[in-house]
Amino acid sequence: PVVVNGEDGSAREGLHALAARGDHVAIAWLDPRGEPKGSKVWCALSKDGGVSFAADFVAYRSPSGTICPCCHPSLRLDAKNRAVVMWRDA
């Protein structure tokens, strides 16, 4: 097992997506932690096939305060291994 999320229990709904391309792995999930309150898209990236991950980070905060808290994101890595995430805003 590898720890990806920087705070235990913060993504308790399990609404996530995972994509891999070669040694690059990306994970995106809905997470309510931080300010402003409401769900945000968080991500974590690995360049060693998922053996380890860089620190997780907020990829998107909605200007309206939250994204849809019940729709999981979709994710892919493009030809340059950039994460492309799709989600539903509120």
Side-chain angles (χ1 to χ4, degrees):
V2 176
V3 175
V4 175
N5 189 342
E7 186 175 317
D8 289 341
S10 64
R12 60 193 169 273
E13 295 289 334
L15 298 170
H16 65 278
L18 180 140
R21 189 171 203 272
D23 285 337
H24 291 78
V25 180
I27 302 173
W29 65 92
L30 302 189
D31 196 324
R33 66 182 145 138
E35 295 297 326
K37 293 184 180 194
S39 292
K40 298 161 218 42
V41 177
W42 281 69
C43 290
L45 306 171
S46 171
K47 293 182 179 180
D48 60 8
V51 173
S52 63
F53 283 81
D56 56 342
F57 60 93
V58 177
Y60 178 78
R61 286 182 178 92
S62 175
S64 67
T66 188
I67 62 173
C68 181
C70 62
C71 297
H72 72 83
S74 296
L75 173 66
R76 70 179 293 265
L77 293 176
D78 70 10
K80 294 182 180 179
N81 292 318
R82 294 176 295 197
V84 180
V85 185
M86 182 174 68
W87 64 89
R88 183 175 160 193
D89 218 336

